[in-house]
Amino acid sequence: MIYRKSPRAWDSVTVREIMTPAEALISVSPGADALGALAILGQRDLNQLAVIEQGRLVGLIRREDVLKWLSLHGGAELDESAPPAARAA
């Protein structure tokens, strides 16, 4: 683990030592619902999710990507589907 190495040894730390192994990644499929992905990001306090298709990494979805898309495209759709109490501003 990197925190156990002396500062002099940090230049020899490999990515493998600090990465999250693929089998431990929280992931979604490309066809997953974007709001569901946003919920996972929020619940797990993550900034990004791996997008996996047929066992292969095909991309990443970032919290900021979903929020930006919603701010540009999803506002009216979300307002219409929200319960009346949630729509009141």
Side-chain angles (χ1 to χ4, degrees):
M1 304 287 292
I2 190 170
Y3 57 84
R4 293 179 186 229
K5 292 192 178 217
S6 73
R8 288 186 209 135
W10 288 353
D11 63 342
S12 65
V13 173
T14 64
V15 170
R16 181 178 307 281
E17 292 178 78
I18 59 176
M19 73 179 193
T20 301
E23 59 274 2
L25 290 174
I26 307 296
S27 64
V28 294
S29 69
D33 178 80
L35 289 178
L38 184 60
I40 293 168
L41 289 163
Q43 291 164 356
R44 304 271 186 148
D45 194 27
L46 299 170
N47 289 320
Q48 63 188 14
L49 292 171
V51 181
I52 305 288
E53 185 171 44
Q54 297 177 351
R56 198 173 132 252
L57 177 69
V58 294
L60 297 171
I61 184 74
R62 299 178 307 163
R63 182 190 309 231
E64 71 180 78
D65 297 332
V66 178
L67 293 173
K68 185 175 182 178
W69 189 92
L70 288 171
S71 73
L72 295 172
H73 304 286
E77 294 168 14
L78 289 176
D79 286 345
E80 291 172 9
S81 65
R87 281 186 253 153

